[in-house]
Amino acid sequence: MNKQKIIETIAHLREKIRHLDEAYYNNDAPLVTDAEYDALFEQLKTLESEYPDLITADSPTQRVGGTPSQSFASIVHPTPMLSLDNAFDEHSVEAFDKRAKERLGLIDGEALNYFCEPKLDGLAISLVYEQGQLVTGATRGDGMRGENVTQNIRTIHDIPLSIKSSNPPKYIEVRGEIYLPKAQFEAINRRAEATGEKIFMNPRNAAAGSLRQLDPKITAKRKLRFFAYQLVANNDFGDTHEKQLAQLASWGFQVCALNRLTLGIQGCLQFYKEILEERDNLPFEIDGVVYKINDLVLQKRLGFISRAPRFALAHKFPAQEKSTTVLAIEFQVGRTGILTPVARLNPVLVGGTMVSNATLHNVHEMRRKDIHIGDTVVIRRAGDVIPEVVMALTAQRPAGAKMIKAPTHCPVCHTPVVFESGDTTIRCPNGWRCQAQLQESIAHFVSRKAMDVRGLGGQVILQLMVAGFLKTPIDLYTLTEEQLLSIERMGKKSAQNLLNAIEKSRTVSLSKLIYALGIREVGETTAKVLAERYPDADLSGLQGASLDALQAIPDIGPVVAKHIVSYFSDPQHKRMVHQLLNYCDVVVPKKTQLTHTSPWTGKSFVITGTLSGFSREEAKEALLQMGAIVHNSLTSKTDYLLVGDKPGSKLEKAREKGIMIVDEVAFLDMLSHST
Ligand code: IVH
């Protein structure tokens, strides 16, 4: 690029970033995803670092955030509120550590202590306390001046109005992050939708919008939360960041329980890995982790450059959001006949995976989000779940973008659909006569957690269906070698392997068989509960169970109970169960001798963290042997949380919910009392 071109590119980037900042900070209405913003910002920063003579004082890289809004009085921060430098890969993290060590004159091999914290995705706030009393709360604004939001801050329960101490310090400034738990965010959006108000794009955006309300009563209703992460410029309460946070906690501030002191950058990278894994289970959004040199003397020696400290670094997680365009909206038919609207997208890489389809959940969601064909939409991937369309960037909607109507007929078998649950759910009532439902049912039937027929993929299932060999999942057990060989690209060896796998699947545990039936909302855990409660190999108990009897089982609610009863009253299902039992050798659960004596029978457990003497599977097995039930996530019905090393957010959540916490020692004790 020649210099003129670079000048133009820089000018263009600055203009674009300013425009995005305006929308983000002042209108609480982002125009692009965070990842896209970060990419533009990084591009500008890189160009400016290559051509420092082109840096101007008004470049967005030289400022911290948006200008304070006109609606609130402004406050000058006693100490500027800066930002953090971002790293997006391990290499940059290592380079940061190396730079810091060089500046501090440490010898090679010496490791620094880092305090690691999740990077909370909310908004930064500065709180000033005089004689132990909260006097002001201010947003970051442009880093020098923020907005006085004291009245609104006072409605947040996590923020102490006076600090807990018999001898409070004369003056302190505490900084931290105001955030909105994911559940609260969803509730706000549901309410907003009902009243026709603005839907928020993400919890941070919703937190900012909730805080910057002119009426504090509205803020109060939003149930914002707060984590403290810094005591500003004050070494009276310990010489490390860790000690300062401990002091803040003892004064009554909330400090994130996931924070951890580590040695060296390897410890930081390990922290990053663990938190990234836990990310989707946390009750609040985070977008990375922050590493801070723990020693305050070293922090001071390193100081700051322009907008960020040299002693701290944000290590951002890979973006899970991207924007792309909707090419079409189609309805996909699932195993139980439910039609789900799916957006076909211009393929886009999100967090390392190419995404070309994203779910819109149901027609109600599609309308709520106002998604049109042709729209630019934000796509989110979270963990292993199917990518979803978060929102349409309606400002970019092209002329002629089309809204889609709910279908009247099944797109696969053309049967008229039925509308359920207040018209939110659209269902094809054609059962296995609908090819889509049959294919999905067979895929479920043969899956690992069900009959576990190895080596039978979607393509072969489809070929066997088209050839007319599979009309129900049970037809698998009458497949012949000749039939298999008539399928395109099926060799003798594969056919034999498949027949062996089918043969092997005939010996099956009762719970897997129940799961394989594909009863609506009966997942693996519910199937286990049912097998324990009705342990007969011919399913007679379960088939004859009444609604009341089912609902009396802990863990089974009225909806699931209804699905079970309705499943067994359908003649097609009755036939399938009857035939299936003829083909299979069902292994019933071993009756634990403890069924009547164990105090853990029927108790619900969740496991978190690493146990030293057991793998998770072993612990789960031991609990099942005691008659307990093991779930993956905490609910109000969880009785115990079994906690290993590095427990993650579940521990905090369990404490909040008042769930009994069992550590490994207590667990061993339980085991020894159960045998
Ligand atoms: S420390 C000198 N710790 O990230 C900056 N910031 O890009 C000191 N943030 O404005 C900030 N979690 O809003 C710090 N554990 C954490 C954080 C955190 C989130 C936010 C904060 C800040 C931005 C910096």
Side-chain angles (χ1 to χ4, degrees):
M1 249 198 285
N2 65 30
K3 192 91 184 227
Q4 188 50 38
K5 186 91 191 121
I6 287 156
I7 293 172
E8 279 168 22
T9 310
I10 287 183
H12 175 72
L13 283 168
R14 285 179 186 155
E15 196 182 324
K16 180 132 195 188
I17 291 170
R18 279 190 204 111
H19 177 62
L20 297 176
D21 276 346
E22 164 81 15
Y24 182 94
Y25 289 105
N26 296 345
N27 307 335
D28 292 328
L31 297 174
V32 295
T33 67
D34 289 356
E36 283 166 319
Y37 180 89
D38 285 348
L40 289 171
F41 203 91
E42 281 301 307
Q43 209 183 332
L44 178 59
K45 249 175 63 177
T46 310
L47 281 176
E48 287 184 349
S49 68
E50 282 167 24
Y51 301 93
D53 56 314
L54 297 181
I55 299 180
T56 53
D58 68 345
S59 171
T61 57
Q62 308 302 303
R63 306 199 298 141
V64 179
T67 39
S69 92
Q70 300 307 309
S71 332
F72 292 95
S74 79
I75 280 192
V76 176
H77 296 303
T79 314
M81 286 183 86
L82 302 177
S83 189
L84 289 168
D85 260 340
N86 290 328
F88 295 92
D89 55 32
E90 290 193 4
H91 176 73
S92 318
V93 175
E94 280 156 5
F96 160 82
D97 178 56
K98 189 160 174 265
R99 269 196 314 272
K101 286 200 287 203
E102 274 167 10
R103 276 194 170 262
L104 293 169
L106 295 184
I107 50 165
D108 212 19
E110 233 175 320
L112 283 164
N113 269 317
Y114 284 100
F115 197 79
C116 304
E117 303 171 12
K119 186 167 189 298
L120 309 152
D121 204 5
L123 68 150
I125 213 83
S126 148
L127 305 170
V128 170
Y129 289 80
E130 284 173 6
Q131 317 295 350
Q133 301 299 315
L134 173 67
V135 286
T136 52
T139 64
R140 188 168 68 165
D142 65 3
M144 296 298 170
R145 282 173 315 129
E147 297 153 349
N148 184 342
V149 286
T150 314
Q151 290 316 313
N152 294 357
I153 291 288
R154 294 174 69 88
T155 68
I156 301 173
H157 292 282
D158 284 344
I159 295 181
L161 295 179
S162 54
I163 63 179
K164 262 201 310 202
S165 166
S166 52
N167 180 23
K170 263 209 199 110
Y171 175 95
I172 52 162
E173 184 187 354
V174 177
R175 288 185 186 165
E177 198 84 349
I178 288 187
Y179 68 94
L180 196 62
K182 291 173 189 167
Q184 200 51 40
F185 164 68
E186 280 155 23
I188 288 177
N189 266 356
R190 271 200 303 275
R191 262 203 312 272
E193 194 237 330
T195 53
E197 283 168 72
K198 191 173 84 177
I199 307 275
F200 292 107
M201 179 166 170
N202 54 40
R204 168 168 30 83
N205 192 233
S210 302
L211 185 68
R212 299 167 73 214
Q213 290 284 338
L214 289 173
D215 179 358
K217 282 200 216 75
I218 301 182
T219 308
K221 281 195 200 141
R222 300 282 172 88
K223 303 207 175 68
L224 292 163
R225 306 285 311 256
F226 175 77
F227 275 132
Y229 56 60
Q230 193 191 2
L231 176 63
V232 182
N234 189 327
N235 288 12
D236 298 346
F237 302 96
D239 52 4
T240 65
H241 182 66
E242 186 187 29
K243 286 183 194 161
Q244 290 201 326
L245 291 193
Q247 179 64 68
L248 288 177
S250 81
W251 279 333
F253 291 92
Q254 297 294 320
V255 175
C256 184
L258 299 167
N259 295 351
R260 185 165 91 207
L261 185 67
T262 66
L263 182 65
I265 214 67
Q266 286 315 318
C268 293
L269 296 176
Q270 177 61 27
F271 180 79
Y272 173 91
K273 223 173 88 202
E274 285 170 29
I275 299 293
L276 180 56
E277 262 170 38
E278 268 298 307
R279 181 186 195 177
D280 295 330
N281 298 325
L282 299 178
F284 45 80
E285 285 290 350
I286 57 174
D287 61 347
V289 292
V290 184
Y291 310 133
K292 301 173 180 175
I293 289 178
N294 194 37
D295 187 319
L296 298 183
V297 175
L298 298 186
Q299 280 198 6
K300 198 153 186 210
R301 272 175 53 198
L302 284 168
F304 299 82
I305 26 158
S306 68
R307 60 193 269 280
R310 285 201 194 88
F311 55 79
L313 181 73
H315 189 178
K316 299 276 272 258
F317 291 148
Q320 291 183 308
E321 287 189 359
K322 273 279 172 70
S323 69
T324 184
T325 48
V326 177
L327 303 175
I329 295 174
E330 289 167 11
F331 283 82
Q332 221 164 42
V333 187
R335 174 167 62 83
T336 55
I338 290 170
L339 270 59
T340 307
V342 175
R344 307 284 176 216
L345 307 164
N346 223 342
V348 59
L349 204 60
V350 192
T353 302
M354 194 53 98
V355 174
S356 44
N357 301 310
T359 181
L360 290 158
H361 299 294
N362 55 50
V363 271
H364 180 70
E365 279 285 292
M366 184 173 84
R367 290 206 194 100
R368 178 173 83 77
K369 291 177 181 163
D370 189 27
I371 313 283
H372 289 43
I373 299 171
D375 270 349
T376 299
V377 289
V378 176
I379 305 303
R380 182 186 299 150
R381 250 189 78 225
D384 292 334
V385 302
I386 308 164
E388 63 167 349
V389 176
V390 182
M391 69 174 311
L393 298 172
T394 43
Q396 297 180 31
R397 176 168 293 160
K402 269 203 329 233
M403 183 93 188
I404 196 121
K405 284 206 187 84
T408 52
H409 291 74
C410 171
V412 177
C413 69
H414 311 295
T415 304
V417 295
V418 289
F419 289 85
E420 295 171 356
S421 318
D423 287 358
T424 312
T425 307
I426 309 176
R427 223 159 58 79
C428 163
N430 204 15
W432 291 331
R433 286 173 301 271
C434 171
Q435 295 278 293
Q437 291 180 59
L438 178 60
Q439 189 182 357
E440 292 295 321
S441 298
I442 298 173
H444 171 82
F445 185 78
V446 301
S447 63
R448 269 181 191 222
K449 292 175 182 170
M451 302 305 286
D452 194 13
V453 179
R454 303 284 168 103
L456 184 56
Q459 197 50 38
V460 179
I461 295 177
L462 190 63
Q463 286 173 302
L464 292 166
M465 279 169 47
V466 172
F469 303 147
L470 292 181
K471 293 200 177 67
T472 77
I474 309 299
D475 292 344
L476 268 180
Y477 291 109
T478 50
L479 279 177
T480 63
E481 185 172 5
E482 202 188 349
Q483 284 177 334
L484 287 178
L485 288 174
S486 73
I487 296 295
E488 220 179 296
R489 283 197 299 275
M490 173 75 73
K492 215 170 163 56
K493 184 131 197 340
S494 323
Q496 201 48 57
N497 285 345
L498 190 50
L499 285 173
N500 288 344
I502 294 172
E503 182 58 32
K504 204 167 149 215
S505 76
R506 288 180 189 231
T507 307
V508 61
S509 70
L510 179 60
S511 63
K512 281 185 151 205
L513 183 122
I514 294 174
Y515 175 71
L517 298 178
I519 305 170
R520 276 171 81 176
E521 296 194 32
V522 174
E524 197 193 0
T525 305
T526 308
K528 278 195 179 134
V529 172
L530 292 172
E532 290 281 340
R533 176 69 187 78
Y534 300 104
D536 19 42
D538 62 357
L539 286 183
S540 52
L542 179 59
Q543 291 194 68
S546 68
L547 257 183
D548 286 347
L550 288 164
Q551 283 187 57
I553 305 173
D555 278 300
I556 298 208
V559 177
V560 182
K562 224 170 98 195
H563 287 319
I564 298 170
V565 170
S566 108
Y567 181 92
F568 289 113
S569 57
D570 175 334
Q572 192 183 28
H573 292 144
K574 273 191 188 152
R575 224 173 15 253
M576 160 164 165
V577 174
H578 181 74
Q579 289 174 333
L580 183 59
L581 292 172
N582 276 339
Y583 290 119
C584 292
D585 183 8
V586 182
V587 183
V588 297
K590 267 187 260 141
K591 270 233 178 342
T592 37
Q593 288 102 17
L594 308 154
T595 307
H596 302 293
T597 52
S598 164
W600 325 116
T601 305
K603 295 286 185 218
S604 156
F605 277 74
V606 171
I607 310 175
T608 183
T610 318
L611 299 166
S612 59
F614 301 82
S615 71
R616 249 192 212 203
E617 274 312 308
E618 286 165 347
K620 190 170 169 181
E621 197 47 46
L623 284 166
L624 294 177
Q625 285 294 323
M626 294 198 300
I629 307 158
V630 183
H631 290 283
N632 290 330
S633 43
L634 291 173
T635 68
S636 54
K637 290 186 180 174
T638 309
D639 296 302
Y640 294 96
L641 180 71
L642 171 56
V643 181
D645 200 22
K646 305 197 185 117
S649 66
K650 285 193 180 122
L651 179 57
E652 197 186 335
K653 208 165 150 194
R655 285 197 180 121
E656 272 171 25
K657 287 182 183 283
I659 292 167
M660 288 278 279
I661 292 166
V662 178
D663 64 10
E664 195 164 349
V665 177
F667 176 55
L668 284 170
D669 193 46
M670 283 165 68
L671 286 183
S672 68
H673 283 89
S674 308
T675 46

